[in-house]
Amino acid sequence: MICVSLTARSNEQMLRMMELESGEADMLELRLDGIKNLDLTKLLEARTRPVIVTCRPADEGGKWKGSESARLELLGEADALGAEYIDIELDASGNLPGGKAKRIVSFHDFDKTPDDLSAIHEKLVASGADVAKIAVTARSIMDNLAVFKLLKERGAKTPTIALCMGEHGVVSRIASPLFGGYLTFAAASKEGKAKPSAPGQLTTKQLCREFRYRDLRPTTRIYGVIGKPIAHSLSPLIHNAAFNELHIDALYLPFLVDDIREFVPAYREIGARGFSVTIPHKEAALECAEEVDELAARLGAANTLYESEGKWRAANTDCSASVGALERALGTKKSGGSPLANKNIVVMGAGGAARAMVFGLVDKGAKVVVANRTYERGAKLAEEASAVAGGKCHAVKLDELGDLKFDVICNLTSIGMHPNVDESPVPAELLKPKMVVFDAVYNPLETKLIRDARESGCSVVPGLDWFIGQAAEQFRLWTGQDAPEETMRQAALARLG
Ligand code: NAP
């Protein structure tokens, strides 16, 4: 179930929010603390969903300014008026007389996830809770495991809400149905943006549309992207859209991870079946697999962890997808073989993405020139790739770009990325008809470089093509099925467009 938690400054504002949020929610939590002109009768008469009535004092994260006895009286009044649930904190629960409403007895820790969640749960149950609620703070992605374990071990006996607050705890709010959680709290939305009553809450729309909350159950398989930062990743959106399209019982989560070596084995144990890996963990990802695919080993970096024949493997779909997108743009060669063979290709940038592309290109027999802002970094990449390619890769300084003859140019820097949308790494006069121009940047969808290239009559490969391509290959490795690429693309376009 999803319960939208509502806080308001006035009774009128709370009434408006109740009407707005009733649509997709199963329940509403009415936070009475903070309402200046409270009229409880009016609020409860207006409800069209079951409600949890809550009134938090300041030391429990609330805004209640009255006395403790007045607070307990108010909760008693809500019970008498027919509220379906009353939330009372563990320390105060003995002081609130029983009534008809179901009693949620809650425990909060705004600083950490304590070690003894089972003992705390026992106290909640012993205090007469119909529903036990534990909301703690995750300092690391690993803290969610304690909450999942608690739900699994104790949630069947006593209805239990257990979650981690904060950015490391977002996954506990989404995945709770996998472990038997009673409900999750969602944020109210204000003009499309989340207005959380506690840190880390998502809106009902995000839970249902982006994370398939209504379809989640204990059999649901876990996938996700490992990175830091991760909040703005589009990967959950497109992979969950793909699972949804093919009716696959799976969930893809954003994992904010500090230490991938600790994270991967622990989440494998709770049922994770595969991961995407992004900055800064692509190198360390190799250590998390029992076997490493040849390309990933050569690159020294993986963006995918997947299971095959009982073993965890590391792969690099960044490389194959970027090269594949360029091959499609160049078209097939009559004589067979890769259309990249012997093509003159400039790669701008020498970071992780450029490295994957350069190695993939030299593998196909292309003649690659690396042009990077920091020349030495570009020269090092060219030297390493050259060792593989028998001399077919060298580096130039950025101001030598105009002297080069090339068939293909690839931007693997962040130049042109939002908000610097009027910047391009390549002067427009260097772009000629029949060239192929590849841009890694996909926000905006159409960068200045891609616009200039179209106007110059070049073929283009925009960043979204690469992004969808690398994700589609991951999807195949995890599920053995072809990814519904158009669905993934539409999901990304809906967000970026
Ligand atoms: P990275 O390791 O941080 O490397 C960034 C590269 O961009 C470096 O070569 C850096 O040059 C260069 N650079 C950054 N700002 C610059 C500027 N103002 N002027 C000139 N050069 C600049 O990042 P990465 O992982 O390789 O990613 C590079 C780009 O690819 C990013 O835009 C990323 O979003 C994109 N990407 C897209 C996809 C996709 O699926 N479409 C996948 C992966 C990455 P220095 O060496 O001089 O610092």
Side-chain angles (χ1 to χ4, degrees):
M1 285 192 288
I2 298 177
C3 177
V4 179
S5 182
L6 303 178
T7 56
R9 283 186 303 277
S10 69
N11 220 59
E12 295 71 31
Q13 190 188 14
M14 182 59 93
L15 285 167
R16 274 197 305 279
M17 290 173 79
M18 287 170 71
E19 197 181 337
L20 276 174
E21 296 294 338
S22 287
E24 279 188 272
D26 302 297
M27 275 193 217
L28 298 178
E29 180 185 38
L30 309 183
R31 285 278 301 264
L32 304 186
D33 50 290
I35 301 182
K36 292 206 173 84
N37 56 342
L38 177 66
D39 183 338
L40 190 53
T41 309
K42 250 192 191 164
L43 292 186
L44 290 177
E45 276 175 2
R47 75 190 191 280
T48 56
R49 293 278 180 281
V51 293
I52 300 172
V53 173
T54 307
C55 185
R56 292 260 184 264
D59 61 351
E60 291 277 357
K63 291 190 174 145
W64 178 253
K65 294 220 168 70
S67 67
E68 180 61 5
S69 59
R71 188 175 81 92
L72 295 174
E73 205 174 297
L74 190 59
L75 292 175
E77 192 188 330
D79 193 336
L81 286 168
E84 286 76 12
Y85 298 83
I86 303 290
D87 181 313
I88 183 77
E89 307 74 25
L90 177 62
D91 290 345
S93 67
N95 303 328
L96 184 70
K100 277 198 193 141
K102 283 195 176 158
R103 181 176 287 224
I104 300 176
V105 183
S106 53
F107 171 86
H108 301 93
D109 190 322
F110 295 99
D111 179 48
K112 63 182 184 309
T113 300
D115 292 333
D116 53 348
L117 291 190
S118 291
I120 294 166
H121 190 267
E122 251 167 47
K123 284 188 196 159
L124 296 172
V125 174
S127 75
D130 295 302
V131 180
K133 177 185 168 192
I134 293 184
V136 292
T137 300
R139 290 182 180 176
S140 134
I141 193 75
M142 305 304 284
D143 287 335
N144 296 288
L145 295 169
V147 154
F148 294 150
K149 184 166 177 269
L150 181 84
L151 284 175
K152 222 170 170 181
E153 288 177 358
R154 295 172 165 259
K157 248 190 182 166
T158 307
T160 299
I161 304 163
L163 55 91
C164 285
M165 296 182 280
E167 58 174 345
H168 283 101
V170 169
V171 297
S172 74
R173 296 181 179 277
I174 303 167
S176 103
L178 275 61
F179 303 95
Y182 187 63
L183 61 76
T184 195
F185 286 98
S189 58
K190 195 178 175 196
E191 287 150 13
K193 288 206 176 118
K195 186 177 174 278
S197 68
Q201 278 176 0
L202 304 174
T203 63
T204 311
K205 201 170 159 192
Q206 285 173 306
L207 284 167
C208 295
R209 310 268 204 289
E210 192 169 334
F211 293 104
R212 320 178 63 206
Y213 188 83
R214 301 286 184 203
D215 296 327
L216 304 181
R217 52 182 74 88
T219 55
T220 302
R221 305 199 298 261
I222 299 172
Y223 297 87
V225 55
I226 301 169
K228 186 183 177 181
I230 208 62
H232 293 100
S233 170
L234 286 183
S235 295
L237 190 69
I238 64 168
H239 281 293
N240 284 322
F243 288 141
N244 196 46
E245 175 76 15
L246 299 187
H247 306 289
I248 295 174
D249 184 16
L251 166 68
Y252 186 102
L253 290 164
F255 293 111
L256 178 61
V257 172
D258 297 305
D259 181 351
I260 189 174
R261 296 172 189 88
E262 173 186 52
F263 167 85
V264 168
Y267 274 74
R268 273 173 69 175
E269 221 163 86
I270 64 156
R273 305 287 281 274
F275 297 108
S276 311
V277 183
T278 187
I279 292 169
H281 298 306
K282 287 186 182 182
E283 285 83 20
L286 298 179
E287 296 169 40
C288 302
E290 280 122 24
E291 289 189 1
V292 177
D293 289 4
E294 198 241 322
L295 193 60
R298 198 136 41 88
L299 281 165
N303 73 332
T304 312
L305 292 169
Y306 70 106
E307 238 180 333
S308 173
E309 295 169 356
K311 287 196 172 141
W312 271 58
R313 304 185 65 99
N316 196 309
T317 70
D318 277 339
C319 179
S320 42
S322 57
V323 167
L326 269 186
E327 284 184 319
R328 280 191 295 281
L330 285 164
T332 47
K333 245 172 120 178
K334 274 189 203 130
S335 56
S338 172
L340 290 164
N342 290 316
K343 284 279 183 300
N344 291 302
I345 301 183
V346 175
V347 172
M348 308 203 54
R355 189 179 163 80
M357 184 156 212
V358 168
F359 273 71
L361 293 175
V362 296
D363 242 9
K364 297 282 182 181
K367 294 181 261 179
V368 181
V369 176
V370 179
N372 190 47
R373 177 177 60 182
T374 310
Y375 171 77
E376 293 70 24
R377 200 178 174 199
K380 184 165 181 286
L381 169 58
E383 195 184 310
E384 287 177 47
S386 202
V388 179
K392 280 191 177 174
C393 186
H394 71 277
V396 295
K397 296 192 171 140
L398 276 187
D399 58 12
E400 293 170 312
L401 209 55
D403 307 331
L404 299 173
K405 281 202 162 50
F406 52 86
D407 311 296
V408 178
I409 190 159
C410 307
N411 174 34
L412 278 297
T413 75
S414 45
I415 300 174
M417 189 189 279
H418 184 81
N420 304 315
V421 296
D422 293 326
E423 293 176 8
S424 167
V426 186
E429 58 273 16
L430 297 187
L431 302 172
K432 305 282 183 259
K434 296 207 179 123
M435 282 181 177
V436 174
V437 176
F438 175 105
D439 200 342
V441 174
Y442 58 80
N443 185 12
L445 288 165
E446 181 105 340
T447 57
K448 175 160 173 17
L449 173 60
I450 293 290
R451 264 198 324 274
D452 289 348
R454 282 193 207 281
E455 281 165 20
S456 307
C458 308
S459 300
V460 298
V461 183
L464 191 62
D465 288 12
W466 182 24
F467 181 63
I468 299 294
Q470 58 80 30
E473 283 191 33
Q474 295 182 323
F475 190 91
R476 262 190 298 279
L477 290 172
W478 296 329
T479 66
Q481 298 189 47
D482 283 342
E485 291 190 32
E486 193 46 36
T487 300
M488 293 166 116
R489 178 181 298 279
Q490 290 307 324
L493 287 174
R495 170 70 60 82
L496 294 169

